[in-house]
Amino acid sequence: MATPLSSKSRKILIAAGLTLTVILIYRMVKKKKDKKRKLTVVSDEGYETAEDILFPKKKFMRLG
């Protein structure tokens, strides 16, 4: 038979779950805002300029 969680353990689990939920919501909102900003810049610039030219992916460090 499994032992029930103590009150302290239960509070820690609830706090960890709430923290994780807040972090996920924050990241989703930030991603949505960044996407909206990029689309605004691309539409202001014109459709002939690709998004990868305006916002290049930074995979490698530049030497120099």
Side-chain angles (χ1 to χ4, degrees):
M1 188 176 204
T3 59
L5 293 174
S6 67
S7 177
K8 187 176 182 180
S9 296
R10 194 170 296 142
K11 288 178 184 178
I12 291 173
L13 285 175
I14 290 172
L18 288 174
T19 303
L20 181 62
T21 303
V22 168
I23 290 171
L24 290 175
I25 290 172
Y26 171 76
R27 290 186 65 170
M28 288 172 44
V29 168
K30 184 178 178 188
K31 185 176 181 180
K32 188 175 180 178
K33 283 183 180 181
D34 287 345
K35 187 174 183 178
K36 185 176 180 180
R37 182 185 62 83
K38 284 183 181 182
L39 289 175
T40 302
V41 170
V42 170
S43 67
D44 289 345
E45 185 71 26
Y47 291 104
E48 64 274 358
T49 305
E51 182 179 346
D52 60 340
I53 294 173
L54 292 172
F55 305 102
K57 302 283 184 201
K58 297 179 182 176
K59 290 184 179 179
F60 305 105
M61 291 184 357
R62 293 185 181 181
L63 302 175

